[in-house]
Amino acid sequence: MTMTYAASEVISKVSNGVLAVSLDGVEMASFDLEGRVLYYVIGSLIYRRSIYNHVYRLESRGKEERIVQKIENPSPLIERAYELAGEALEVTNDSSVRNALQVAAGRTTSWLCEDVRKLNSLYSRISIVPPDLYFSTYLQLTTGCTWNLCTFCTLYKDRTFSIKSREQFSQHIRAVKGYLGKGLDARRRVFLGDANAMDVSQKLLRQALLNIGQELEDPPVYSFIDGFTTPKNLTRMDFGELHDLGLERVYLGLESGNPEVLKILNKPMHLPEAKEFVNQLKSVGVKLGVIILIGAGGHKYWQDHVSMTCSALEEMNLGQGDIVYLSPLVETETYNKLTESLHLGTLHDKQKEKQTQEFLDQLKETHRINCPVVPYSIRESFLS
Ligand code: SF4
C-alpha cells in the first residue's frame, strides 16, 4: 500500500546520475536513472544491491572494517525501495526529479531479474573490480587471466583467456551502452577487464581506448596489470600513449614484498622488475592501486611479510592519486594444502585484523607512504 506524505517529509534529488529519495531522514533509497536499486536504508540498517541483484546488509565495525551479510529474501526490501519512489512521486513537483521518480516507481523486482538476465548475456561473469570502482562501467576486452595459477585465487578458474577483436569490442561497448541506458550517468568511469586487459597488443589497446572515448565521452579508464606478464608486453612509452588516451590508474596485485611468500602464492613476480615497472608507469602519469594480501605466508612469514612488503611499497614512491589496498587472504583448498605441508599456520580473522593494523602503523610511521592505505575485504565485493 502506498502511503501519502506531506512534501516536507520526503526529499528527492538527482545528483551525479543517482536518484536519492529520503523519508523523514530515517528511510532512504537510491536508484540509477534506469530505476535499478542501488541502496536502501532504514534507520541504522544499510542495504546495498549488487549488479547481480543480490542484497547485502552493511555494518560498521570500528573505523574501517565492514562486514557483509547476504540477505536471503531481499524482495521485500527492493519492493519497499520502489514504493518509496512512488510515494515521493506523489509529492514532488520538480520536473527533472519527477522523470527519474516515474522511471523508478514503474520498476519491479521482476524487472530487476530480467535486467540481470540481460547483463549475463553481455559478459562472462564479472568476477571483481577494485573497491573504488564498484560504480564503473565494466568492459570486457579480454576474459580470464593469462596465468590463472596463483594458489590463492579462484576468480577466473571457470574460463580460459580470450581476447575480443577490434570489431567484437566495438560491438560489446555499444551493447553495454544500450543495456545501461541512462544508468551510464552514475557510471562515468570505465573498468577494462578481466585480469589482463593490458596483455593484448598496443595497437588493439589504442583502438579500444579510442573507441571507449568516442562512445562514452572520454571517461577515465582503469584496469588490472600484473608484475610479470604486463612488463614484458608493454613499454613505458606504450603506457604514456595509453595514459594520453584515458588510462588513469592500473591495479597491481603485489600481494607481498617477500619472495618466499610469492613462491607460496605461485606468483612468478620478480620484485625488482615489478618495482621498476611501477616507477615507469608513474613517470608517464599512470596512477597505481597496489593490493597487498593480509595473512599471506601464515604465521611462519608474518614478520617478514609485513616488513618486506612495507619496504617494497616505500620503494615504489607512491603518491597523489595512488592507493594501497590491504586485503585479507581468503584461503582456497590449494592454499590450505600448502599451509599444511609447509607448516605455515593459518591466521584467523582476528589475527588478520592485527596484521592489518601492523601494516597501517608501519606504513604511517616507519615507511611514510604518501597515499591512502585502505583495508578492504574481497568478501565485500558487491558484484556477486
Ligand atoms: S591473482 Fe591475478 S594473476 Fe594470479 S591467478 Fe588470480 S587473476 Fe591471475
Side-chain angles (χ1 to χ4, degrees), residues 145-150 152-157 195-196 226 228 255 266-267:
C145 166
T146 47
W147 174 242
N148 223 3
L149 290 170
C150 295
F152 65 97
C153 175
T154 54
L155 290 172
Y156 304 104
K157 293 287 185 211
N196 301 91
D226 68 51
F228 49 100
E255 326 303 358
N266 199 27
K267 197 146 214 181

PDB file of all heavy atoms in Angstrom, residues 145-150 152-157 195-196 226 228 255 266-267, ligand 1:
ATOM      1  N   CYS A 145      42.300 -14.871 -17.086  1.00  0.00           N
ATOM      2  CA  CYS A 145      43.647 -14.493 -16.645  1.00  0.00           C
ATOM      3  C   CYS A 145      44.652 -15.323 -17.447  1.00  0.00           C
ATOM      4  O   CYS A 145      44.478 -16.536 -17.585  1.00  0.00           O
ATOM      5  CB  CYS A 145      43.780 -14.782 -15.150  1.00  0.00           C
ATOM      6  SG  CYS A 145      45.479 -14.732 -14.559  1.00  0.00           S
ATOM      7  N   THR A 146      45.690 -14.662 -17.935  1.00  0.00           N
ATOM      8  CA  THR A 146      46.691 -15.395 -18.737  1.00  0.00           C
ATOM      9  C   THR A 146      47.464 -16.416 -17.902  1.00  0.00           C
ATOM     10  O   THR A 146      47.962 -17.396 -18.435  1.00  0.00           O
ATOM     11  CB  THR A 146      47.713 -14.427 -19.361  1.00  0.00           C
ATOM     12  OG1 THR A 146      48.143 -13.534 -18.344  1.00  0.00           O
ATOM     13  CG2 THR A 146      47.116 -13.645 -20.518  1.00  0.00           C
ATOM     14  N   TRP A 147      47.586 -16.177 -16.610  1.00  0.00           N
ATOM     15  CA  TRP A 147      48.356 -17.057 -15.727  1.00  0.00           C
ATOM     16  C   TRP A 147      47.427 -18.073 -15.062  1.00  0.00           C
ATOM     17  O   TRP A 147      47.573 -19.273 -15.240  1.00  0.00           O
ATOM     18  CB  TRP A 147      49.115 -16.197 -14.709  1.00  0.00           C
ATOM     19  CG  TRP A 147      49.852 -16.936 -13.646  1.00  0.00           C
ATOM     20  CD1 TRP A 147      49.621 -16.872 -12.302  1.00  0.00           C
ATOM     21  CD2 TRP A 147      50.966 -17.817 -13.808  1.00  0.00           C
ATOM     22  NE1 TRP A 147      50.498 -17.655 -11.613  1.00  0.00           N
ATOM     23  CE2 TRP A 147      51.347 -18.263 -12.524  1.00  0.00           C
ATOM     24  CE3 TRP A 147      51.673 -18.306 -14.901  1.00  0.00           C
ATOM     25  CZ2 TRP A 147      52.398 -19.153 -12.304  1.00  0.00           C
ATOM     26  CZ3 TRP A 147      52.721 -19.186 -14.684  1.00  0.00           C
ATOM     27  CH2 TRP A 147      53.065 -19.593 -13.400  1.00  0.00           C
ATOM     28  N   ASN A 148      46.490 -17.574 -14.281  1.00  0.00           N
ATOM     29  CA  ASN A 148      45.429 -18.403 -13.686  1.00  0.00           C
ATOM     30  C   ASN A 148      45.932 -19.523 -12.776  1.00  0.00           C
ATOM     31  O   ASN A 148      45.252 -20.537 -12.606  1.00  0.00           O
ATOM     32  CB  ASN A 148      44.551 -19.003 -14.808  1.00  0.00           C
ATOM     33  CG  ASN A 148      43.069 -18.925 -14.460  1.00  0.00           C
ATOM     34  OD1 ASN A 148      42.697 -18.373 -13.418  1.00  0.00           O
ATOM     35  ND2 ASN A 148      42.220 -19.485 -15.294  1.00  0.00           N
ATOM     36  N   LEU A 149      47.120 -19.378 -12.215  1.00  0.00           N
ATOM     37  CA  LEU A 149      47.699 -20.460 -11.413  1.00  0.00           C
ATOM     38  C   LEU A 149      48.093 -20.037  -9.996  1.00  0.00           C
ATOM     39  O   LEU A 149      48.765 -20.810  -9.300  1.00  0.00           O
ATOM     40  CB  LEU A 149      48.961 -21.019 -12.120  1.00  0.00           C
ATOM     41  CG  LEU A 149      48.712 -21.821 -13.400  1.00  0.00           C
ATOM     42  CD1 LEU A 149      50.028 -22.110 -14.121  1.00  0.00           C
ATOM     43  CD2 LEU A 149      47.997 -23.126 -13.067  1.00  0.00           C
ATOM     44  N   CYS A 150      47.733 -18.832  -9.573  1.00  0.00           N
ATOM     45  CA  CYS A 150      48.072 -18.446  -8.197  1.00  0.00           C
ATOM     46  C   CYS A 150      47.301 -19.341  -7.225  1.00  0.00           C
ATOM     47  O   CYS A 150      46.113 -19.623  -7.451  1.00  0.00           O
ATOM     48  CB  CYS A 150      47.735 -16.982  -7.956  1.00  0.00           C
ATOM     49  SG  CYS A 150      48.730 -15.872  -8.962  1.00  0.00           S
ATOM     50  N   PHE A 152      46.077 -18.889  -4.350  1.00  0.00           N
ATOM     51  CA  PHE A 152      45.032 -18.295  -3.507  1.00  0.00           C
ATOM     52  C   PHE A 152      43.859 -17.758  -4.327  1.00  0.00           C
ATOM     53  O   PHE A 152      42.935 -17.168  -3.766  1.00  0.00           O
ATOM     54  CB  PHE A 152      45.632 -17.123  -2.700  1.00  0.00           C
ATOM     55  CG  PHE A 152      46.077 -15.979  -3.568  1.00  0.00           C
ATOM     56  CD1 PHE A 152      45.259 -14.892  -3.777  1.00  0.00           C
ATOM     57  CD2 PHE A 152      47.307 -16.011  -4.213  1.00  0.00           C
ATOM     58  CE1 PHE A 152      45.648 -13.846  -4.611  1.00  0.00           C
ATOM     59  CE2 PHE A 152      47.707 -14.974  -5.040  1.00  0.00           C
ATOM     60  CZ  PHE A 152      46.880 -13.896  -5.235  1.00  0.00           C
ATOM     61  N   CYS A 153      43.895 -17.937  -5.635  1.00  0.00           N
ATOM     62  CA  CYS A 153      42.935 -17.231  -6.497  1.00  0.00           C
ATOM     63  C   CYS A 153      42.081 -18.203  -7.305  1.00  0.00           C
ATOM     64  O   CYS A 153      42.611 -19.057  -8.017  1.00  0.00           O
ATOM     65  CB  CYS A 153      43.692 -16.302  -7.431  1.00  0.00           C
ATOM     66  SG  CYS A 153      42.628 -15.480  -8.636  1.00  0.00           S
ATOM     67  N   THR A 154      40.777 -18.043  -7.199  1.00  0.00           N
ATOM     68  CA  THR A 154      39.864 -18.883  -7.993  1.00  0.00           C
ATOM     69  C   THR A 154      38.974 -18.026  -8.901  1.00  0.00           C
ATOM     70  O   THR A 154      37.991 -18.508  -9.451  1.00  0.00           O
ATOM     71  CB  THR A 154      38.944 -19.708  -7.054  1.00  0.00           C
ATOM     72  OG1 THR A 154      38.290 -18.808  -6.158  1.00  0.00           O
ATOM     73  CG2 THR A 154      39.704 -20.736  -6.267  1.00  0.00           C
ATOM     74  N   LEU A 155      39.346 -16.751  -9.038  1.00  0.00           N
ATOM     75  CA  LEU A 155      38.445 -15.802  -9.711  1.00  0.00           C
ATOM     76  C   LEU A 155      38.109 -16.165 -11.155  1.00  0.00           C
ATOM     77  O   LEU A 155      37.009 -15.927 -11.628  1.00  0.00           O
ATOM     78  CB  LEU A 155      39.070 -14.396  -9.697  1.00  0.00           C
ATOM     79  CG  LEU A 155      39.128 -13.700  -8.338  1.00  0.00           C
ATOM     80  CD1 LEU A 155      39.946 -12.421  -8.434  1.00  0.00           C
ATOM     81  CD2 LEU A 155      37.727 -13.390  -7.833  1.00  0.00           C
ATOM     82  N   TYR A 156      39.081 -16.730 -11.865  1.00  0.00           N
ATOM     83  CA  TYR A 156      38.862 -16.957 -13.306  1.00  0.00           C
ATOM     84  C   TYR A 156      39.036 -18.419 -13.696  1.00  0.00           C
ATOM     85  O   TYR A 156      39.331 -18.724 -14.847  1.00  0.00           O
ATOM     86  CB  TYR A 156      39.817 -16.055 -14.110  1.00  0.00           C
ATOM     87  CG  TYR A 156      39.666 -14.605 -13.772  1.00  0.00           C
ATOM     88  CD1 TYR A 156      40.611 -13.946 -12.975  1.00  0.00           C
ATOM     89  CD2 TYR A 156      38.555 -13.873 -14.193  1.00  0.00           C
ATOM     90  CE1 TYR A 156      40.459 -12.618 -12.628  1.00  0.00           C
ATOM     91  CE2 TYR A 156      38.389 -12.540 -13.846  1.00  0.00           C
ATOM     92  CZ  TYR A 156      39.345 -11.919 -13.064  1.00  0.00           C
ATOM     93  OH  TYR A 156      39.172 -10.603 -12.718  1.00  0.00           O
ATOM     94  N   LYS A 157      38.870 -19.314 -12.722  1.00  0.00           N
ATOM     95  CA  LYS A 157      39.059 -20.742 -12.998  1.00  0.00           C
ATOM     96  C   LYS A 157      38.012 -21.271 -13.987  1.00  0.00           C
ATOM     97  O   LYS A 157      38.198 -22.314 -14.591  1.00  0.00           O
ATOM     98  CB  LYS A 157      38.959 -21.560 -11.704  1.00  0.00           C
ATOM     99  CG  LYS A 157      40.088 -21.298 -10.725  1.00  0.00           C
ATOM    100  CD  LYS A 157      41.396 -21.908 -11.171  1.00  0.00           C
ATOM    101  CE  LYS A 157      42.456 -21.726 -10.098  1.00  0.00           C
ATOM    102  NZ  LYS A 157      43.811 -21.605 -10.638  1.00  0.00           N
ATOM    103  N   ALA A 195      41.303  -9.865 -15.925  1.00  0.00           N
ATOM    104  CA  ALA A 195      42.544  -9.700 -15.165  1.00  0.00           C
ATOM    105  C   ALA A 195      43.690  -9.142 -15.995  1.00  0.00           C
ATOM    106  O   ALA A 195      44.606  -8.532 -15.451  1.00  0.00           O
ATOM    107  CB  ALA A 195      42.965 -11.035 -14.555  1.00  0.00           C
ATOM    108  N   ASN A 196      43.665  -9.361 -17.307  1.00  0.00           N
ATOM    109  CA  ASN A 196      44.839  -8.997 -18.119  1.00  0.00           C
ATOM    110  C   ASN A 196      44.492  -8.248 -19.394  1.00  0.00           C
ATOM    111  O   ASN A 196      44.995  -8.571 -20.470  1.00  0.00           O
ATOM    112  CB  ASN A 196      45.628 -10.252 -18.520  1.00  0.00           C
ATOM    113  CG  ASN A 196      46.094 -11.027 -17.328  1.00  0.00           C
ATOM    114  OD1 ASN A 196      45.396 -11.904 -16.879  1.00  0.00           O
ATOM    115  ND2 ASN A 196      47.256 -10.675 -16.822  1.00  0.00           N
ATOM    116  N   ASP A 226      49.617  -7.050 -14.118  1.00  0.00           N
ATOM    117  CA  ASP A 226      50.405  -7.856 -13.184  1.00  0.00           C
ATOM    118  C   ASP A 226      51.866  -7.491 -13.372  1.00  0.00           C
ATOM    119  O   ASP A 226      52.242  -6.830 -14.341  1.00  0.00           O
ATOM    120  CB  ASP A 226      50.133  -9.356 -13.345  1.00  0.00           C
ATOM    121  CG  ASP A 226      50.640  -9.914 -14.648  1.00  0.00           C
ATOM    122  OD1 ASP A 226      51.815  -9.683 -14.973  1.00  0.00           O
ATOM    123  OD2 ASP A 226      49.860 -10.578 -15.360  1.00  0.00           O
ATOM    124  N   PHE A 228      54.401  -9.438 -13.851  1.00  0.00           N
ATOM    125  CA  PHE A 228      55.286 -10.397 -14.546  1.00  0.00           C
ATOM    126  C   PHE A 228      54.949 -10.590 -16.020  1.00  0.00           C
ATOM    127  O   PHE A 228      55.835 -10.867 -16.815  1.00  0.00           O
ATOM    128  CB  PHE A 228      55.326 -11.753 -13.814  1.00  0.00           C
ATOM    129  CG  PHE A 228      53.972 -12.319 -13.467  1.00  0.00           C
ATOM    130  CD1 PHE A 228      53.399 -13.300 -14.259  1.00  0.00           C
ATOM    131  CD2 PHE A 228      53.282 -11.888 -12.348  1.00  0.00           C
ATOM    132  CE1 PHE A 228      52.147 -13.837 -13.936  1.00  0.00           C
ATOM    133  CE2 PHE A 228      52.036 -12.409 -12.026  1.00  0.00           C
ATOM    134  CZ  PHE A 228      51.464 -13.382 -12.809  1.00  0.00           C
ATOM    135  N   GLU A 255      50.665  -8.390  -3.610  1.00  0.00           N
ATOM    136  CA  GLU A 255      50.425  -9.430  -2.593  1.00  0.00           C
ATOM    137  C   GLU A 255      51.459  -9.381  -1.463  1.00  0.00           C
ATOM    138  O   GLU A 255      51.113  -9.303  -0.314  1.00  0.00           O
ATOM    139  CB  GLU A 255      50.383 -10.856  -3.181  1.00  0.00           C
ATOM    140  CG  GLU A 255      49.813 -11.024  -4.576  1.00  0.00           C
ATOM    141  CD  GLU A 255      48.396 -10.530  -4.799  1.00  0.00           C
ATOM    142  OE1 GLU A 255      47.776 -10.064  -3.847  1.00  0.00           O
ATOM    143  OE2 GLU A 255      47.922 -10.572  -5.953  1.00  0.00           O
ATOM    144  N   ASN A 266      52.516 -18.819  -5.607  1.00  0.00           N
ATOM    145  CA  ASN A 266      52.751 -19.197  -7.019  1.00  0.00           C
ATOM    146  C   ASN A 266      52.562 -18.011  -7.956  1.00  0.00           C
ATOM    147  O   ASN A 266      51.986 -18.142  -9.026  1.00  0.00           O
ATOM    148  CB  ASN A 266      51.841 -20.368  -7.438  1.00  0.00           C
ATOM    149  CG  ASN A 266      52.386 -21.062  -8.683  1.00  0.00           C
ATOM    150  OD1 ASN A 266      53.599 -21.043  -8.925  1.00  0.00           O
ATOM    151  ND2 ASN A 266      51.517 -21.651  -9.464  1.00  0.00           N
ATOM    152  N   LYS A 267      53.061 -16.887  -7.511  1.00  0.00           N
ATOM    153  CA  LYS A 267      53.008 -15.672  -8.337  1.00  0.00           C
ATOM    154  C   LYS A 267      54.423 -15.428  -8.852  1.00  0.00           C
ATOM    155  O   LYS A 267      55.297 -15.030  -8.075  1.00  0.00           O
ATOM    156  CB  LYS A 267      52.519 -14.503  -7.474  1.00  0.00           C
ATOM    157  CG  LYS A 267      52.061 -13.351  -8.308  1.00  0.00           C
ATOM    158  CD  LYS A 267      50.908 -12.615  -7.657  1.00  0.00           C
ATOM    159  CE  LYS A 267      49.976 -12.096  -8.717  1.00  0.00           C
ATOM    160  NZ  LYS A 267      48.867 -11.360  -8.230  1.00  0.00           N
TER     161      LYS A 267
HETATM  162  S1  SF4 B   1      45.806 -13.476  -8.630  1.00  0.00           S
HETATM  163 FE1  SF4 B   1      45.786 -12.388 -10.580  1.00  0.00          FE
HETATM  164  S2  SF4 B   1      47.481 -13.315 -11.735  1.00  0.00           S
HETATM  165 FE2  SF4 B   1      47.007 -14.727 -10.078  1.00  0.00          FE
HETATM  166  S3  SF4 B   1      45.552 -16.187 -10.949  1.00  0.00           S
HETATM  167 FE3  SF4 B   1      44.338 -14.562  -9.957  1.00  0.00          FE
HETATM  168  S4  SF4 B   1      43.909 -13.104 -11.556  1.00  0.00           S
HETATM  169 FE4  SF4 B   1      45.581 -14.402 -12.307  1.00  0.00          FE
END
